[in-house]
Each structure stands twice: as C-alpha cells, then as structure tokens.
Amino acid sequence: MFQYLISIARRAVLALSLLAGLSLGLAACSATFTNHGYVPPPEVLSEIAIGATRDEVAELAGAPGTGGVTRDEAWFYTQYRVRNFTYNAPQVIERDIVAISFSEAGRVTNIERFGLEDGQIVQLSRRVTESSVRDVGFLSQILSNFGRINIADALN
C-alpha cells in the first residue's frame, strides 16, 4: 500500500513538473508591450486656448520631453506602443502625435492630433557608391600589388 502511494505521488510530481514546464514555455512565447513617450490627455488639451502663450502650454501640458521635439514654430508630443513577439522585429502598434503650433509671437495658433493611421511611409534613398573593383578576387588584388612596390621609396 505504501509503495502504491509513493507511485501516485511520483506521478503527481511528474505531471505538475510537466505542466509547469509547458506553462513557462508558453509564457516565453507571449508578446510583450512597451510604452514610450507622453501625450497630454484630451482633457488637458481642451484647456489650451488658441492664443495661449508657450508658458501657459508648458504649465498645463508640460514641455515636450526627450521623446518630443521643440522647435520655434511648434511643439510635438509623441507617444507610441511597441509589441515585441519572440524573435520577430519589434512592431509599432499604436502611435499618437500632438502638434501645437505657435505664431512668431509665441502664441498658440493650432492644435492637431495624428495617429498611426495618419502616418505615411517615407522611402529612403539608398545611394550606394559603386566599387571600381570588378571581377577581381581578393587574392588576385594582393598578388598584383607586389610588382608595384618600390622598396627604395618604402625605405625613405
């Protein structure tokens, strides 16, 4: 009877170990999400009136941090959410940008909000310098340079 109980206990431990291993394996494959940046909430943006000064905007919404951009004509607040899934490249799944435009006098002229769906894909130019070496292998280049070396010039 005692052996029978030990056998059942071993099976239970083995089953729990297997279940724990499967749970950890599945948890390792789940997506992780990271949030970056700051965008003032809609309630704060509604308090910013057209004609408000930069100081008033900074007091209500705060100045853009390192994630945002501060220029003379506008402040940009950016916030985005990134999904990381196993070995795949990270993917931006949410993006929110708020642009507060200022006049030359430093007064608010416009407040705009942009989402991920408003973005446009920008094609980057891939300018590649052509190599002057063609159809010549590495070893051939090294061996062809031995006849060009002037030892007298190298010693001076």
Side-chain angles (χ1 to χ4, degrees):
M1 180 70 167
F2 186 68
Q3 291 290 65
Y4 180 70
L5 291 176
I6 291 177
S7 173
I8 291 175
R10 284 185 184 165
R11 287 184 191 163
V13 168
L14 182 62
L16 286 175
S17 298
L18 184 61
L19 183 63
L22 287 174
S23 298
L24 287 174
L26 289 175
C29 292
S30 64
T32 58
F33 298 91
T34 54
N35 298 311
H36 302 277
Y38 166 75
V39 168
E43 307 83 48
V44 172
L45 291 175
S46 65
E47 293 180 26
I48 299 173
I50 300 298
T53 64
R54 279 190 171 91
D55 292 334
E56 293 171 340
V57 172
E59 187 176 314
L60 287 170
T66 57
V69 177
T70 305
R71 297 191 337 206
D72 289 339
E73 65 272 2
W75 284 1
F76 297 94
Y77 298 87
T78 60
Q79 180 179 11
Y80 56 97
R81 184 177 173 113
V82 178
R83 181 181 79 156
N84 296 298
F85 186 67
T86 60
Y87 54 84
N88 296 325
Q91 180 183 16
V92 176
I93 58 171
E94 293 177 26
R95 182 182 309 132
D96 197 15
I97 299 173
V98 170
I100 301 177
S101 303
F102 296 98
S103 66
E104 290 182 14
R107 302 276 183 178
V108 174
T109 58
N110 194 14
I111 300 173
E112 296 177 284
R113 174 169 247 148
F114 303 99
L116 186 61
E117 63 279 353
D118 297 321
Q120 296 179 2
I121 296 175
V122 177
Q123 293 293 334
L124 299 176
S125 171
R126 252 193 113 183
R127 297 181 351 192
V128 178
T129 305
E130 290 291 325
S131 173
S132 63
V133 180
R134 294 192 179 176
D135 298 328
V136 179
F138 178 72
L139 191 57
S140 298
Q141 290 178 23
I142 291 176
L143 293 176
S144 67
N145 285 328
F146 280 121
R148 297 181 191 168
I149 297 174
N150 186 349
I151 295 177
D153 290 339
L155 294 175
N156 289 331

